[in-house]
Amino acid sequence: MRLAVTRWRGAASAATLALLTAACDLKQAAVLDPKGPIALAERNLLFDAFCVMMVVIVPIIVLTLWFAWRYRASNTNARYTPTWANSVKIDALTWLIPAVIVIAVAVLLWRSTHRLDPYRPLESKEPPIDVQVVAQDWKWLFIYPEQGIAVVNQLVFPAGRPVSLRITSDTVMNSFYVPQLAGQIYAMAGMQTRLQMLADQPGTFVGRNSQYSGGGYSQQHFEVQAMSQADFDAWVARAKQGGTPLDATTYPALAAKSRANPITYYSTVEPKLFDTIIDKYRHSGHAHSAPVRR
């Protein structure tokens, strides 16, 4: 039974990919080209929901074409019943089939929602790498507390090792999204959200803000690199040597509005800077009053 379901899903996935890629380049539809277990599970959920909905849509299309042919004006053999009122069988099909489909989709989404909880740590033999993420106007700041460095618009981590993200905003609400590795989650001032991700193999991906946040929104992208552990260690060493300190003196200039920021490294980071950014909104009461900047 499981093998049959797997084959059915594979055939449905292939058909869905063929339809979707016929209309757009696969490189532009990154969600259909996952490179990690979370993104793969989310893509499969998309395909499963699509296939369940096809249980309704395909018969409707077939019946529409059949009715148009069966009751065409030239068909004199079709039965004419002007006094027909109702049919128990048709009513049963009309109500029971949609009800079953709604229940099936509800169960599917319920199970997947808990299994793909962004706060739930990933199971792995490797310990996760902790990264603190701060959304700004219009860029992303990544703080590595264990390594003592920070980077603007570049997220780097070892392939095959889970990444545990703590995410907040130092401006209006943003949405953190790396389509090929994980789902999206909001970044909000005065609050902290969590997201787990993992890349199966080395590669370069694109991250973005999927929530409109003002004039520089369209340029608020960041580079994501998964690399070997040795390359990651070398990258950390280069950041420590070539960057400048990030503290209470240099941070305000970084937090100022700017567009199309280049990748920038900070060799040291003030301890608990991430918590300080969250606390300043909690104490001032600005977390829910910041307007969208245009």
Side-chain angles (χ1 to χ4, degrees):
M1 179 65 180
R2 181 175 296 179
L3 179 59
V5 172
T6 302
R7 290 178 177 175
W8 174 76
R9 174 188 286 180
S13 300
T16 306
L17 274 174
L19 291 173
L20 293 176
T21 54
C24 62
D25 185 355
L26 188 58
K27 293 181 180 179
Q28 301 299 324
V31 71
L32 300 179
D33 186 27
K35 299 300 181 182
I38 300 298
L40 177 62
E42 292 178 345
R43 189 198 67 176
N44 288 341
L45 175 60
L46 174 65
F47 287 163
D48 289 343
F50 176 84
C51 293
V52 171
M53 289 183 287
M54 286 300 102
V55 174
V56 174
I57 295 174
V58 171
I60 288 177
I61 294 174
V62 172
L63 287 174
T64 300
L65 297 175
W66 182 80
F67 267 73
W69 177 84
R70 179 72 174 81
Y71 296 102
R72 67 194 186 278
S74 61
N75 185 12
T76 58
N77 295 323
R79 187 171 58 179
Y80 178 62
T81 55
T83 60
W84 181 86
N86 69 326
S87 169
V88 175
K89 293 181 179 179
I90 293 178
D91 286 343
L93 291 174
T94 302
W95 289 101
L96 291 179
I97 293 180
V100 171
I101 291 173
V102 169
I103 293 172
V105 172
V107 172
L108 177 66
L109 294 179
W110 175 269
R111 295 176 59 185
S112 299
T113 298
H114 287 277
R115 183 165 53 90
L116 298 174
D117 182 358
Y119 284 65
R120 182 180 180 180
L122 299 178
E123 296 182 1
S124 175
K125 297 180 180 179
E126 299 290 335
I129 177 171
D130 294 322
V131 182
Q132 299 166 347
V133 184
V134 182
Q136 299 177 332
D137 290 326
W138 286 277
K139 51 193 172 291
W140 293 91
L141 172 65
F142 300 96
I143 302 173
Y144 293 75
E146 297 177 0
Q147 290 74 22
I149 63 172
V151 188
V152 174
N153 283 344
Q154 187 183 49
L155 174 61
V156 179
F157 51 85
R161 182 176 174 183
V163 182
S164 181
L165 303 173
R166 297 173 59 195
I167 305 171
T168 192
S169 174
D170 197 10
T171 177
V172 297
M173 184 168 66
N174 284 237
S175 182
F176 182 91
Y177 190 27
V178 184
Q180 290 183 280
L181 295 180
Q184 70 86 28
I185 194 166
Y186 289 107
M188 294 169 281
M191 302 179 65
Q192 171 187 279
T193 51
R194 302 296 300 265
L195 184 66
Q196 317 296 324
M197 67 170 58
L198 185 148
D200 292 328
Q201 57 190 4
T204 301
F205 317 101
V206 176
R208 63 193 62 168
N209 172 23
S210 59
Q211 168 73 35
Y212 180 72
S213 59
Y217 157 76
S218 61
Q219 298 171 297
Q220 195 175 351
H221 303 287
F222 59 93
E223 181 183 274
V224 181
Q225 285 194 20
M227 54 182 60
S228 66
Q229 184 65 51
D231 290 339
F232 175 74
D233 294 337
W235 175 83
V236 172
R238 289 195 302 270
K240 289 183 176 181
Q241 294 175 359
T244 57
L246 182 61
D247 51 30
T249 303
T250 57
Y251 181 79
L254 172 63
K257 290 190 288 187
S258 58
R259 304 187 185 191
N261 280 78
I263 296 173
T264 307
Y265 301 96
Y266 292 91
S267 56
T268 59
V269 181
E270 179 178 312
K272 297 185 177 181
L273 176 62
F274 181 82
D275 296 325
T276 301
I277 295 170
I278 295 178
D279 290 341
K280 75 177 183 179
Y281 289 96
R282 288 176 175 172
H283 297 327
S284 65
H286 292 162
H288 301 289
S289 60
V292 174
R293 294 175 182 152
R294 302 181 185 278

